[in-house]
Amino acid sequence: GQNIDQPTEMTATEGAIVQINCTYQTSGFNGLFWYQQHAGEAPTFLSYNVLDGLEEKGRFSSFLSRSKGYSYLLLKELQMKDSASYLCAVRDGNFNKFYFGSGTKLNVKP
Amino acid sequence: DSGVTQTPKHLITATGQRVTLRCSPRSGDLSVYWYQQSLDQGLQFLIQYYNGEERAKGNILERFSAQQFPDLHSELNLSSLELGDSALYFCASSPTWGTNEQFFGPGTRLTVL
């Protein structure tokens, strides 16, 4: 089956760095995704990893270790607008299905 | 604005009824995905269509069905509605079936009373 775990909620300070972890167990694997979702809005794509290593995109970076079933999203120079839920998702390699974690609600405080 | 449109924005109906949610993908996108997001279950993948054909199926109930039309818009039909079907339903689109980035529409909030 599929199991994706991420912390329910985190709090960080404006200007700081925060790391949001995601662990997964899937029967097949064809990529890990991170999405940002502000309250009441649609998810927006942040990053995609399919090979081990770090992908950097501006203030956001995402890391993947396939052998450990582990990923993290790193947010640097936090801004108040980064307060949102961050969704970790895995694409099943066999059937192209997507499985989402429950999301991590990030609260950025001044 | 992602370029994906969904109608209606809000829908209130009664148990046992049937509703149709509509989605128009971004111009040029051939693939459409449907998701359900409820408070207790997070974002759940329902189904994917690519160029009119079903491509992947997730946890979609038998009471639910979808299709993608020749003009690439898609409809999600929900029948015999139950209180537990109350949720936010998102449609997303991407250029092809295996594209990494999906563009989400604003969602349809369904309330079943």
Side-chain angles (χ1 to χ4, degrees):
Chain A
Q2 284 69 28
N3 190 33
I4 300 174
D5 289 317
Q6 48 181 135
T8 302
E9 192 163 356
M10 299 180 69
T11 299
T13 305
E14 190 176 15
I17 300 173
V18 70
Q19 177 175 313
I20 302 174
N21 296 325
C22 171
T23 59
Y24 64 90
Q25 291 177 309
T26 59
S27 54
F29 177 83
N30 189 17
L32 187 137
F33 304 77
W34 284 96
Y35 280 83
Q36 179 191 61
Q37 186 176 25
H38 285 98
E41 298 183 9
T44 55
F45 173 84
L46 290 177
S47 69
Y48 166 75
N49 296 70
V50 68
L51 300 176
D52 289 353
L54 188 68
E55 294 282 341
E56 296 184 80
K57 191 188 288 187
R59 295 189 298 116
F60 294 1
S61 303
S62 56
F63 172 82
L64 174 67
S65 169
R66 288 172 298 169
S67 62
K68 296 182 179 177
Y70 168 70
S71 172
Y72 67 73
L73 180 69
L74 193 71
L75 292 77
K76 303 175 185 176
E77 301 169 14
L78 280 173
Q79 302 175 9
M80 298 300 292
K81 67 177 182 179
D82 296 331
S83 291
S85 286
Y86 291 85
L87 312 178
C88 171
V90 171
R91 180 167 56 196
D92 181 302
N94 298 321
F95 303 104
N96 204 42
K97 299 179 185 181
F98 291 84
Y99 299 93
F100 280 78
S102 298
T104 298
K105 184 179 179 184
L106 175 65
N107 302 303
V108 179
K109 295 193 172 181
Chain B
D1 185 357
S2 67
V4 178
T5 60
Q6 289 186 249
T7 57
K9 191 167 185 174
H10 300 279
L11 196 50
I12 301 174
T13 187
T15 55
Q17 295 299 305
R18 172 189 170 96
V19 298
T20 298
L21 312 183
R22 183 187 169 101
C23 167
S24 292
R26 293 187 322 157
S27 177
D29 284 359
L30 300 179
S31 197
V32 169
Y33 311 76
W34 285 99
Y35 294 88
Q36 179 193 57
Q37 188 172 40
S38 55
L39 284 175
D40 59 343
Q41 288 200 333
L43 198 61
Q44 300 281 321
F45 168 69
L46 297 178
I47 199 163
Q48 178 199 4
Y49 279 84
Y50 173 72
N51 205 20
E53 294 188 3
E54 183 183 303
R55 193 73 190 188
K57 206 166 189 175
N59 298 324
I60 187 167
L61 300 172
E62 287 191 9
R63 301 184 286 109
F64 296 1
S65 64
Q67 55 184 327
Q68 185 179 28
F69 295 87
D71 66 352
L72 301 176
H73 91 271
S74 178
E75 291 181 358
L76 179 66
N77 300 295
L78 315 176
S79 61
S80 302
L81 284 168
E82 302 175 359
L83 296 178
D85 297 327
S86 295
L88 196 52
Y89 290 83
F90 286 109
C91 167
S93 76
S94 66
T96 68
W97 72 272
T99 308
N100 300 328
E101 182 172 359
Q102 296 179 29
F103 298 87
F104 281 75
T108 292
R109 182 167 294 281
L110 173 67
T111 302
V112 182
L113 301 175

